[in-house]
Amino acid sequence: MDRKIIIIGVAGGSGSGKTTFARRLKERLGEGRCCILAQDSYYIDQSSRFDYDGGSVNFDHPSALDFDLMGQHLSDLKQGQTIQVPHYDFKTHQRTKETSPMAPKPVVVVDGILVLSQPQVRCHFDEAVFLSIPEETRYAHRLRRDVQERGRTPEGVRNQFFGQVKPMHDQFVEPSSEHANHLITNYTIFDTVLAEVAQIAERV
């Protein structure tokens, strides 16, 4: 491998805007220079335990995700190897048999609530962004997304948020902000931090 590949982690609570940040960074850098690897692709199969509105499945605990595989994939990308990204179906909660090839690009953006909390993933990051956004804002975003895109009920989303999402956020997600070197505490500095990270990435 002659060319350098940098990996940028983008973390924050559910509904904080991290996926928007990742997408806008990719738009700024261009399709040919940047790709996004989402934590959501690495959920383990939960179909045998899922009961439509979440129930016993805690999707916000690190044990719900295959971070070892994600860490290996980041290592492979950094070495210039193409990976096979798993598919997870959020309506059936199955990891499907299909995978999608992802070839490394100069900038790899990793998007997920827990990616800064896991050392086997975090160790591959050259830059790390954390969106520390107030709970009420994150909850409103989560409610809209899960009802519109994932077929959930408002009551189920609320129960899951305050029964599972918030406790896991407090225990695992928010403490991981200490590993970030770019912190977004409100949306007024969103564009400023985006420009800073893009400038770093553009040097590759």
Side-chain angles (χ1 to χ4, degrees):
M1 270 298 295
D2 294 325
R3 68 173 184 171
K4 177 178 173 63
I5 293 171
I6 72 165
I7 300 179
I8 300 171
V10 181
S14 177
S16 63
K18 62 194 174 302
T19 299
T20 298
F21 186 96
R23 288 173 180 167
R24 286 184 56 187
L25 182 59
K26 180 180 178 182
E27 289 170 4
R28 180 156 180 160
L29 297 173
E31 183 74 31
R33 290 182 51 78
C34 182
C35 58
I36 298 174
L37 186 65
Q39 173 191 287
D40 283 357
S41 297
Y42 291 85
Y43 276 105
I44 62 175
D45 195 301
Q46 300 278 12
S47 56
S48 64
R49 300 173 58 215
F50 187 71
D51 60 358
Y52 177 64
D53 255 350
S56 61
V57 181
N58 188 341
F59 292 98
D60 292 77
H61 192 281
S63 64
L65 292 128
D66 192 346
F67 282 116
D68 289 339
L69 177 61
M70 191 181 206
Q72 181 59 55
H73 279 176
L74 291 176
S75 177
D76 292 343
L77 286 170
K78 206 145 199 178
Q79 294 176 51
Q81 301 174 21
T82 296
I83 63 171
Q84 295 295 326
V85 181
H87 286 194
Y88 187 80
D89 186 330
F90 277 96
K91 292 188 176 179
T92 64
H93 293 282
Q94 292 177 307
R95 179 184 281 187
T96 69
K97 295 180 180 179
E98 294 79 16
T99 59
S100 295
M102 177 180 285
K105 294 184 179 180
V107 181
V108 178
V109 180
V110 183
D111 161 27
I113 65 170
L114 290 162
V115 296
L116 286 181
S117 73
Q118 302 303 301
Q120 69 271 48
V121 172
R122 186 177 68 237
C123 67
H124 298 290
F125 297 159
D126 299 285
E127 298 289 329
V129 180
F130 189 92
L131 287 89
S132 184
I133 302 300
E135 182 178 290
E136 59 270 22
T137 302
R138 292 186 286 103
Y139 173 64
H141 291 170
R142 169 98 175 206
L143 178 64
R144 183 170 60 250
R145 182 201 68 187
D146 282 6
V147 171
Q148 293 179 357
E149 299 177 16
R150 298 183 178 177
R152 303 286 305 284
T153 66
E155 182 182 8
V157 175
R158 177 178 175 80
N159 291 342
Q160 187 179 41
F161 189 91
F162 291 103
Q164 296 175 344
V165 177
K166 175 178 168 53
M168 295 300 97
H169 178 87
D170 295 344
Q171 183 176 354
F172 296 108
V173 182
E174 190 66 36
S176 74
S177 65
E178 68 179 16
H179 300 293
N181 49 349
H182 304 273
L183 191 64
I184 298 175
T185 54
N186 61 74
Y187 292 130
T188 62
I189 61 172
F190 186 99
D191 289 337
T192 301
V193 175
L194 180 69
E196 290 174 356
V197 176
Q199 189 173 37
I200 293 168
E202 284 165 353
R203 297 179 192 146
V204 179

